[in-house]
Short mmCIF file of all heavy atoms in Angstrom, two decimals:
data_model
loop_
_atom_site.label_atom_id
_atom_site.label_comp_id
_atom_site.label_asym_id
_atom_site.label_seq_id
_atom_site.Cartn_x
_atom_site.Cartn_y
_atom_site.Cartn_z
N LYS A 229 -64.76 -174.30 34.10
CA LYS A 229 -64.43 -173.49 35.26
C LYS A 229 -63.12 -172.76 35.05
O LYS A 229 -62.19 -173.29 34.48
CB LYS A 229 -64.35 -174.36 36.51
CG LYS A 229 -65.67 -174.93 36.95
CD LYS A 229 -65.53 -175.69 38.25
CE LYS A 229 -66.88 -176.23 38.70
NZ LYS A 229 -66.74 -176.98 39.99
N GLN A 244 -63.60 -152.20 30.86
CA GLN A 244 -62.88 -151.20 30.07
C GLN A 244 -63.44 -151.10 28.65
O GLN A 244 -63.55 -150.00 28.10
CB GLN A 244 -61.39 -151.56 30.02
CG GLN A 244 -60.67 -151.43 31.36
CD GLN A 244 -60.79 -150.03 31.93
OE1 GLN A 244 -60.65 -149.04 31.22
NE2 GLN A 244 -61.09 -149.97 33.23
N LEU A 260 -79.44 -133.75 24.40
CA LEU A 260 -79.08 -133.76 25.81
C LEU A 260 -79.91 -134.74 26.62
O LEU A 260 -79.37 -135.48 27.45
CB LEU A 260 -79.22 -132.34 26.39
CG LEU A 260 -78.73 -132.16 27.83
CD1 LEU A 260 -77.26 -132.53 27.93
CD2 LEU A 260 -78.95 -130.72 28.28
N ASN A 449 -102.53 -95.37 29.48
CA ASN A 449 -103.20 -94.10 29.28
C ASN A 449 -103.34 -93.42 30.64
O ASN A 449 -104.29 -93.68 31.37
CB ASN A 449 -104.56 -94.31 28.62
CG ASN A 449 -105.30 -93.02 28.37
OD1 ASN A 449 -104.71 -91.94 28.41
ND2 ASN A 449 -106.59 -93.13 28.11
N PRO A 664 -92.56 -104.39 29.92
CA PRO A 664 -93.05 -103.09 29.46
C PRO A 664 -92.95 -102.97 27.94
O PRO A 664 -92.04 -103.50 27.31
CB PRO A 664 -92.11 -102.09 30.15
CG PRO A 664 -90.90 -102.88 30.49
CD PRO A 664 -91.34 -104.28 30.73
N VAL A 676 -98.24 -108.90 29.25
CA VAL A 676 -98.21 -109.87 30.35
C VAL A 676 -98.44 -111.26 29.77
O VAL A 676 -99.39 -111.48 29.02
CB VAL A 676 -99.28 -109.57 31.42
CG1 VAL A 676 -99.20 -110.59 32.55
CG2 VAL A 676 -99.10 -108.17 31.97
N SER A 687 -86.59 -118.32 32.86
CA SER A 687 -85.13 -118.20 32.86
C SER A 687 -84.71 -116.87 32.24
O SER A 687 -85.49 -116.18 31.58
CB SER A 687 -84.51 -119.36 32.07
OG SER A 687 -84.84 -119.26 30.69
N LYS A 784 -150.81 -64.45 -6.43
CA LYS A 784 -150.15 -63.97 -5.21
C LYS A 784 -149.44 -65.11 -4.46
O LYS A 784 -148.36 -64.94 -3.89
CB LYS A 784 -151.18 -63.32 -4.30
CG LYS A 784 -151.65 -61.94 -4.80
CD LYS A 784 -152.65 -61.32 -3.82
CE LYS A 784 -153.07 -59.91 -4.29
NZ LYS A 784 -154.04 -59.29 -3.37
N PRO A 870 -147.68 -97.87 6.05
CA PRO A 870 -149.14 -97.84 6.27
C PRO A 870 -149.51 -96.69 7.21
O PRO A 870 -148.79 -96.41 8.17
CB PRO A 870 -149.40 -99.21 6.92
CG PRO A 870 -148.09 -99.61 7.53
CD PRO A 870 -147.03 -99.06 6.64
#
Side-chain angles (χ1 to χ4, degrees):
K229 291 184 179 180
Q244 292 303 317
L260 186 59
N449 181 15
V676 181
S687 67
K784 287 182 178 180

